[in-house]
Amino acid sequence: MKQKLLVLTTTFPRWQNDPDPPFVYELVRRLAANFDVTVHAPHYPGAETDEEMEQIKVHRFRYFLEPFEKLAGSTSILPTLRQNKLYYGLLPFFLTAQFFSLFLLVRKSRPTIIHAHWILPQGFFAVMMKTFFGIPVVVTAHGADVYALQHSLFKAAKRFALRRADKVTVVSSALREKIVHDICSVPAHIIPMGVCSETFAPGKQAADIKKKHGVSGKVILYVGRLSEKKGVRYLIDAMPAVLAEFPDAALLVIGTGELESELQKISGSKGLGDHVIFVGGVSNRELPAYYCGSDVFVGPSVQAQGGDTEGLGLTFVEAAMSGCLIIGSDVGGIGDVIENNKTGFLVPEKDSRAIAEKIIYALKNPNKVEELAEQGRKKCIEKFDLEVISKKYTSLIRAVTQ
């Protein structure tokens, strides 16, 4: 009989072909081969409260009137709160409902182990369940839970969760260093989230991307939430210099978020017209073709107000596995993916000039780009392929439950 694994997360597909990041889903889908998996996640308007996705049982807890249950979903919780202060009024309902829903689920199902994604609030609640029921806990830190929420009360809650967890994992070396120096000294295993190297591979139906969006020249691609820490405005600021060298080039911006309207206004104010195309949300099934149809992928992440920044950046991994050259800011855990001048390029954060220079260099030197992209794909398959990651988590979970 399989051991029961209960996964706590606030990022999980709400329905089929949801454009939200699927990294937790893709991991637990593979873990389901060895464990009886149940996922506990927040509800969102239009989503099922209880359903089964392949071999995964999903329970989405209700916390308010359905039309207002948007605290976690198309945008992560912290950006949602910054965008609309009224959502702070939902927080007590959200946290209370999450706790009691989790308590009832654990009491009923008696899982063998709990895996909590993000230290707060999931990790905190998970170790409370450990106190009540004696169930071992693995806590995974992703980024915002470490870099943001720096108030002393939040830090105390983080220490409580991390010190009482049976195992702690982090998605990058930068996160482990931040935890040890700023929160508490606990052993932390570096196990990133993974990407399927068969799904994200060169030549994935890329031919129609330029035609679909009316692009005749080079394609620069961004994929991710349109939030402060992603730094998309600095990429838009870099485009006039790129267009001076490559007048037919275009930037495709894939994603949605609280800064979408503002970024569109910035693009319009610079007269970029059809050279910056806001594609909106794209299903994960369609993404590989965009990576393969692009010449350069750029992730211009920054450290946001409050300290939040990139924990790792799986879009860099997806792009590299797809054979696309990757350019990223030298912040957070991005350095775990990009080895500067060997698998891609790192640039200083908030430096539009440096971004433009690297894009122009890449577009002018296709042979060098091919070499870097090849090395980037090789490294990412070795480090981030989902089969590799799922085996690591399977071993770690089994070690805790033995």
Side-chain angles (χ1 to χ4, degrees):
M1 183 179 292
K2 293 180 180 179
Q3 294 178 317
K4 293 182 178 181
L5 170 63
L6 176 58
V7 177
L8 315 183
T9 180
T10 51
T11 298
F12 201 77
R14 297 161 292 177
W15 40 71
Q16 190 176 8
N17 295 325
D18 187 350
D20 269 14
F23 53 89
V24 175
Y25 167 74
E26 291 294 346
L27 173 61
V28 297
R29 187 165 71 87
R30 286 159 176 79
L31 293 177
N34 297 300
F35 302 96
D36 181 1
V37 181
T38 299
V39 171
H40 186 260
H43 188 257
Y44 192 90
E48 298 289 339
T49 303
D50 290 282
E51 67 175 321
E52 189 163 321
M53 290 183 166
E54 298 190 35
Q55 300 180 58
I56 306 163
K57 293 184 285 291
V58 183
H59 174 69
R60 299 183 180 89
F61 64 90
R62 299 294 309 276
Y63 57 94
F64 207 69
L65 300 174
E66 182 171 9
F68 300 97
E69 290 180 325
K70 296 181 179 180
L71 193 55
S74 60
T75 303
S76 54
I77 293 176
L78 291 178
T80 298
L81 292 172
R82 283 194 289 267
Q83 180 186 19
N84 189 341
K85 303 298 183 185
L86 292 176
Y87 275 107
Y88 278 101
L90 284 182
L91 268 179
F93 298 96
F94 181 92
L95 296 173
T96 302
Q98 185 178 34
F99 173 80
F100 283 108
S101 171
L102 178 60
F103 181 89
L104 293 174
L105 181 60
V106 171
R107 188 175 68 175
K108 178 181 178 181
S109 64
R110 297 289 174 162
T112 311
I113 187 168
I114 300 173
H115 184 187
H117 289 269
W118 287 276
I119 306 170
L120 297 179
Q122 285 77 235
F124 182 85
F125 288 152
V127 298
M128 291 182 72
M129 297 305 114
K130 177 183 178 180
T131 302
F132 297 144
F133 300 102
I135 298 168
V137 168
V138 175
V139 173
T140 295
H142 288 271
D145 49 349
V146 176
Y147 292 120
L149 304 174
Q150 293 298 309
H151 190 279
S152 58
L153 287 176
F154 291 128
K155 283 193 173 184
K158 294 178 193 180
R159 284 193 292 271
F160 175 84
L162 293 170
R163 286 173 175 167
R164 286 162 179 78
D166 295 270
K167 293 287 184 182
V168 174
T169 69
V170 295
V171 299
S172 68
S173 54
L175 277 181
R176 181 168 67 178
E177 184 177 342
K178 183 73 172 176
I179 285 174
V180 170
H181 287 156
D182 286 6
I183 303 174
C184 61
S185 182
V186 294
H189 304 263
I190 301 173
I191 308 180
M193 292 294 98
V195 170
C196 179
S197 60
E198 294 182 0
T199 301
F200 293 92
K204 290 285 184 176
Q205 301 176 344
D208 293 337
I209 296 304
K210 288 186 177 182
K211 182 179 178 182
K212 181 177 182 179
H213 296 287
V215 179
S216 58
K218 302 291 186 179
V219 176
I220 301 102
L221 180 68
Y222 167 82
V223 178
R225 285 195 169 111
L226 304 184
S227 58
E228 182 191 0
K229 77 173 182 180
K230 298 297 185 178
V232 181
R233 66 171 302 152
Y234 301 99
L235 175 54
I236 293 173
D237 287 344
M239 283 305 295
V242 174
L243 292 171
E245 297 284 341
F246 296 90
D248 294 331
L251 167 63
L252 300 185
V253 179
I254 294 179
T256 60
E258 69 276 12
L259 295 184
E260 185 170 359
S261 296
E262 180 180 332
L263 292 170
Q264 289 174 341
K265 289 178 182 177
I266 291 171
S267 175
S269 70
K270 293 180 178 295
L272 294 174
D274 296 334
H275 294 286
V276 176
I277 301 167
F278 289 85
V279 179
V282 169
S283 72
N284 292 287
R285 184 180 59 189
E286 298 175 275
L287 269 181
Y290 278 91
Y291 288 122
C292 293
S294 300
D295 297 281
V296 182
F297 174 84
V298 184
S301 302
V302 302
Q303 186 175 55
Q305 293 181 22
D308 190 15
T309 193
E310 204 72 69
L312 178 66
L314 282 181
T315 52
F316 293 102
V317 179
E318 293 172 348
M321 283 188 178
S322 302
C324 192
L325 176 75
I326 49 178
I327 300 173
S329 303
D330 192 8
V331 297
I334 295 174
D336 280 15
V337 183
I338 301 176
E339 190 175 353
N340 194 34
N341 294 317
K342 293 184 179 180
T343 62
F345 296 123
L346 290 172
V347 296
E349 66 169 330
K350 301 180 181 180
D351 192 335
S352 298
R353 180 178 178 180
I355 293 170
E357 288 175 353
K358 289 301 182 186
I359 293 173
I360 292 166
Y361 175 85
L363 297 181
K364 286 184 174 180
N365 295 274
N367 292 335
K368 178 64 174 178
V369 164
E370 186 176 349
E371 177 187 333
L372 291 174
E374 199 171 300
Q375 290 302 312
R377 173 169 166 76
K378 181 181 177 181
K379 176 181 177 180
C380 284
I381 291 174
E382 291 172 355
K383 289 185 64 175
F384 302 106
D385 185 72
L386 265 166
E387 295 305 318
V388 174
I389 301 306
S390 62
K391 286 177 182 177
K392 289 183 177 181
Y393 267 108
T394 297
S395 298
L396 183 139
I397 291 167
R398 285 177 170 163
V400 172
T401 56
Q402 285 177 350

